[in-house]
Amino acid sequence: MLGGARRRARGALLAASGSAVAGPLERAARRSGARAGVALVYHRVGDPPGDLSRELLPALGSRLFAEQVRYLNDRYRLVPASRLLEAASERRTGDPFPVAITFDDDLRSHVVTAAPILARAGAPATFFLTGACLRGPHRFWWERLQEACDRGIDLSPLGIAGPGADVHELGRAVEALPARRIDELDAALRGLAGPDPEDAGLRAEHVAALAADGFEIGFHTRRHYPLLGLTAAALDAATAEGLAELEEAAGARLTTIAYPHGRADGRVAGAARAAGFGAGFTGAPGPVTPESDPLLLCRVSPSYASVGELAVDVALAVRSAVSR
Ligand SMILES: [Zn+2]
């Protein structure tokens, strides 16, 4: 993880020169027979753009997102997440590398902002959803935590971090808690942040609309617990609970999963495989290659700053597969 100052310096440099650097990298990689692809993990797209320094999940501005999609569509072969490993394995010398655009969490911005931009570009994408808001508004703990922080509410009585902790420190502290404690904390945050706004999350009709527009729906688990700390029984429950309801809304079987908080290991992957999933995505950076475990596929986080930085990050992921 880069520190804030280093990340901003890298971002500024690559905003100016990233596309010029990435072009030759990507073209050189394309001349190789490397069998590789890249998955990207987006969250909220919308305006005004958010601020990574004080938001857990800031919005990526719609104009920047549209420019990133256009860049990826020009240089790479966009595929749904379920097809990425196969597309990487089939790649031949000279072919563009396959890239999967994916989204996590049940955000209204998926249907309002991201999907129309993707549709205009003719770009496929995969939305990993929990299904927690199919019937009514629902926010997850990090959204309530963000609101409480934005409103300047003192969270030290919750006992998760010392006074003066910023939203990122608080977020990391909550993620490290056992599932039962997260539920208790969520209830406390609900009291502090107030009721969920009417437009929070995706209803069944929104999921159906995404599917009808040709987008792929994947599973993100109903309760979004960090999976690494769960018992075997809780892990089996997490890969099954709410799945049928989300499949009904999507009108299709869901074969692809993205693990909450991007974290999984061999045990989590085994549970996902046993539950019938064919592809599983983490948040670990890196390329997808034929040697990847299909249930532990990497995803690269796209730049919040520029097309240039995204271009370099994708090209570097591809190049790392060439030099293996
Ligand atoms: Zn998530």
Side-chain angles (χ1 to χ4, degrees), residues 43 57 103-106 128 130 140 142 220 224 258-262 299:
H43 287 87
L57 285 176
F103 294 81
D104 280 6
D105 302 342
D106 310 47
F128 290 104
T130 70
F140 279 96
W142 59 90
H220 196 40
H224 206 286
Y259 307 108
H261 309 288
R299 284 189 297 177

Side-chain angles (χ1 to χ4, degrees), residues 79-309:
V79 297
S82 63
R83 288 265 306 126
L84 182 63
L85 185 55
E86 191 184 351
S89 304
E90 289 168 351
R91 184 186 171 270
R92 302 260 184 274
T93 305
D95 288 349
F97 288 89
V99 165
I101 295 175
T102 78
F103 294 81
D104 280 6
D105 302 342
D106 310 47
L107 297 163
R108 187 63 65 91
S109 65
H110 295 343
V111 281
V112 173
T113 313
I117 291 170
L118 290 160
R120 277 197 292 279
T126 302
F127 293 89
F128 290 104
L129 308 179
T130 70
C133 5
L134 292 174
R135 295 162 194 267
H138 174 82
R139 285 188 296 178
F140 279 96
W141 63 260
W142 59 90
E143 297 171 284
R144 297 184 177 134
L145 178 67
Q146 184 73 56
E147 185 180 335
C149 286
D150 291 347
R151 284 165 46 182
I153 296 169
D154 176 19
L155 296 175
S156 57
L158 296 178
I160 43 175
D166 74 9
V167 72
H168 292 284
E169 290 166 306
L170 289 162
R172 282 192 295 274
V174 179
E175 274 179 45
L177 295 172
R180 181 183 50 78
R181 277 282 291 131
I182 292 179
D183 283 343
E184 288 169 9
L185 202 83
D186 188 36
L189 285 168
R190 185 195 296 253
L192 292 173
D196 299 327
E198 245 334 284
D199 65 350
L202 295 174
R203 306 290 169 271
E205 66 262 29
H206 298 130
V207 178
L210 285 173
D213 284 344
F215 295 111
E216 181 172 56
I217 308 298
F219 196 40
H220 196 40
T221 78
R222 172 66 179 74
R223 293 183 189 272
H224 206 286
Y225 291 138
L227 300 179
L228 292 178
L230 297 186
T231 64
L235 201 46
D236 287 345
T239 53
E241 184 187 359
L243 178 60
E245 203 185 355
L246 186 58
E247 287 181 330
E248 195 187 325
R253 256 205 74 215
L254 307 191
T255 59
T256 307
I257 187 167
Y259 307 108
H261 309 288
R263 283 201 280 279
D265 58 8
R267 198 176 69 99
V268 170
R273 190 178 288 112
F277 292 99
F281 288 85
T282 70
V288 166
T289 73
E291 291 75 40
S292 304
D293 182 332
L295 272 302
L296 288 173
L297 301 174
C298 293
R299 284 189 297 177
V300 171
S301 290
S303 169
Y304 279 88
S306 67
V307 176
E309 188 173 28

Side-chain angles (χ1 to χ4, degrees), residues 9-92:
R10 181 183 191 269
L13 184 69
L14 294 182
S17 61
S19 300
V21 174
L25 276 178
E26 182 262 324
R27 282 194 294 277
R30 208 193 273 211
R31 287 194 291 274
S32 80
R35 294 185 297 156
V38 174
L40 291 163
V41 52
Y42 287 91
H43 287 87
R44 191 186 305 275
V45 175
D47 302 301
D51 179 354
L52 197 52
S53 69
R54 53 169 201 86
E55 288 179 77
L56 288 169
L57 285 176
L60 180 80
S62 62
R63 211 174 103 193
L64 176 55
F65 177 66
E67 287 170 5
Q68 291 186 346
V69 170
R70 199 175 318 124
Y71 178 87
L72 294 167
N73 216 3
D74 286 348
R75 302 284 188 123
Y76 294 92
R77 177 187 165 209
L78 296 179
V79 297
S82 63
R83 288 265 306 126
L84 182 63
L85 185 55
E86 191 184 351
S89 304
E90 289 168 351
R91 184 186 171 270
R92 302 260 184 274

